[in-house]
Amino acid sequence: MKTLQKIIVDAPSKRYAVYCGKGALRELGPVVRGIAGTAGVFVLTSPNVARRWERPVLSALRLARGAKPILFDDREAAKNLATVEKVCRELIRAGADRHSTLVAVGGGVVGDVVGFVAASYLRGVKLIHVPTTLVAQVDSAVGGKTGVNLAEGKNLVGAFYQPDAVIVDPATLKTLPEREYRSGIYEVIKYGIISDSKLFRVCERELEGILDRDPAALNVIIPRCVRAKARVTALDEREAGLRETLNFGHTFAHALESVTNYCVFRHGEAVAWGIIAATLLGIAAANLPLHDAARIIRLVRRVGPLPALPKVSAAGLLAAMRSDKKSQGGRLRFVLPTKIGTVRTGVKLPEPLVSLVWNTLVQTGRSLQ
Ligand SMILES: NC(=O)c1ccc[n+]([C@@H]2O[C@H](COP(=O)([O-])OP(=O)(O)OC[C@H]3O[C@@H](n4cnc5c(N)ncnc54)[C@H](O)[C@@H]3O)[C@@H](O)[C@H]2O)c1
Ligand SMILES: [Zn+2]
């Protein structure tokens, strides 16, 4: 297996490459120069990420001496229009014009904010993502969904805006806090369940190596996820159908995050509970074999402890699910596994069944802590 892979995302609105694997950061300079030339390159990141990665990124880019990144707060609470405005104003003051290129270095928050800035600043400038969390590498940096939160909810303002290139270097994960890293593993497992049974088996076999951030293991799993995301993006850029498969585990996850005010779970942890819930629903409503269900739940549990489920009634959870922007006219739609590697989308379920699964999880979930 080659260590550095070039994966093409052939989306209807743009075709671009994801450079993925050990040493990818070294490609950043040549890739940016190929796309942007030498002038008008702006690095945008957070103070937290800059502390660890400013030096390697700037030296890979070989920017003029004294070049400084534009910094902004990457806490979820700051993923809002005020931050977008602040970043745009800094770009104006720094002289960014319509031919400029933005290089977003960070996790999903940085990518979503800078992606939205790139889509709207002077009606659109070039964009290169350098994702530095596992979630961003396997999910948010590829596919073109950008946006920010409103007080009324998450990701309510945004745009589909594909980058011009993505640089995925697993080496950047070595400074990631343990909990952030494990959160990303649940998204990796999600890809295995929705479309790649071989990836699922690799996760089962290599989980200890993956948890240890073993470069060889990461070099297998990350490109497989990027390929899966690239495939879906090419076929369904604007989430009209197939892309819905990526929401596996997310109907529950978004509701869990919302009823806990985004303070209890990392997104991936909520997805882990969502995967377990969707697996139980899969047994009940999608003929998921018990053996596959057991493998899924066992693998999710092996990743590590999850925060306990909140003491919320089934009615409260269902209400949160109905207000999710992905529900259609208040009707709940689920993505359910039919076997490891395949899911069924748009499944409408009787609410008593969803309540039953929630109540079961709350009871057994507590004893699993
Ligand atoms: N656009 C999409 O398709 C998409 C998909 C999934 C998630 N998202 C969004 O992504 C966000 C979550 O992103 P995330 O999980 O990447 O977390 P994050 O961006 O919140 O980052 C988590 C923490 O890790 C820090 N960090 C980032 N890289 C680091 C590194 N290499 N070393 C040390 N610390 C580092 C950050 O400063 C932050 O404190 C959410 O807002 C979610 O809505 C978007
Ligand atoms: Zn997710």
Side-chain angles (χ1 to χ4, degrees), residues 139 187 190 250 267 271:
D139 192 357
E187 298 276 6
K190 177 194 81 175
H250 282 62
H267 172 68
V271 170

Side-chain angles (χ1 to χ4, degrees), residues 15 51 67 80 104 144 150 164-165 171 217 229 232 237 241 243 266 272 297 300 304 330 344 357 369:
R15 183 183 153 90
R51 208 165 49 241
N80 55 29
L150 297 178
D164 295 274
K229 186 84 191 263
V232 173
E237 186 176 18
R243 196 161 175 165
R266 292 301 300 149
I297 292 172
V300 168
R344 189 180 299 156
V357 162
Q369 294 310 305

Side-chain angles (χ1 to χ4, degrees), residues 97-98 115 151 160 303 355:
D97 64 20
R98 281 164 49 196
F160 285 99
V303 176
S355 301

